[in-house]
């Protein structure tokens, strides 16, 4: 299984970024997908998750209304649209795959390599 995250970069507060994650080696339309982030010196934190069909999504409170998770099962892709970015959103962002939606890192079976998002004030 490979999960390749991309789209990170350096932006100013208030800007937007869109992260992508390409999955291979798994039955994508039977996998829930999640985005997590880890800031320097902090534990990995749940950001968002989406069910296999895309009909169910969950977000951490700090990103509700600013971030949107989506998926394209025909392309084996999951996305994270991030708007109104804040300096506290600075972290390495990881995509992950699981058998069902969940918010705990240990719920996920496979992880991508991460992509760095830096938000300057």
């Amino acid at each position: 299984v490979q999960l390749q995250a991309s789209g990170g970069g350096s932006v100013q507060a208030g800007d937007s970024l869109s992260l992508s994650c390409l999955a291979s080696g798994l039955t994508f339309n039977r996998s829930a997908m999640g985005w997590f982030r880890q800031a320097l010196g902090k534990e990995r934190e749940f950001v968002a998750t989406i069910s296999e069909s895309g009909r169910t999504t969950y977000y951490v409170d700090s990103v509700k209304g600013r971030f949107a998770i989506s998926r394209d099962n025909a392309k084996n892709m999951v996305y994270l649209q991030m708007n109104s970015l804040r300096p506290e959103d600075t972290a390495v962002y990881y995509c992950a795959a699981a058998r069902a939606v969940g918010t705990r890192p240990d719920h996920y079976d496979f992880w991508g390599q991460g992509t760095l998002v830096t938000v300057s004030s």
Side-chain angles (χ1 to χ4, degrees):
V1 174
Q2 280 196 321
L3 301 175
Q4 296 178 280
S6 61
S10 296
V11 297
Q12 298 290 317
D15 287 349
S16 299
L17 271 179
S18 181
L19 304 184
S20 300
C21 177
L22 173 64
S24 60
L26 76 169
T27 307
F28 187 73
N29 61 7
R30 294 184 181 178
S31 301
M33 300 298 296
W35 285 98
F36 289 77
R37 64 187 179 187
Q38 188 165 16
L40 192 63
K42 295 189 176 181
E43 293 188 354
R44 193 164 296 190
E45 173 191 35
F46 165 76
V47 176
T49 185
I50 187 166
S51 63
E52 299 89 317
S53 66
R55 286 193 286 266
T56 301
T57 58
Y58 297 104
Y59 298 90
V60 67
D61 285 348
S62 60
V63 308
K64 284 180 181 177
R66 300 189 298 123
F67 290 12
I69 188 171
S70 62
R71 65 189 296 158
D72 185 338
N73 284 351
K75 296 181 179 179
N76 282 18
M77 295 286 292
V78 62
Y79 307 97
L80 185 69
Q81 177 64 40
M82 305 185 295
N83 300 324
S84 301
L85 282 161
R86 303 168 180 170
E88 54 264 39
D89 296 318
T90 295
V92 176
Y93 283 72
Y94 299 88
C95 61
R99 298 179 185 181
V101 293
T103 62
R104 293 167 53 95
D106 60 7
H107 178 77
Y108 287 76
D109 302 307
F110 304 106
W111 292 83
Q113 83 287 3
T115 184
L116 177 62
V117 173
T118 304
V119 185
S120 303
S121 59

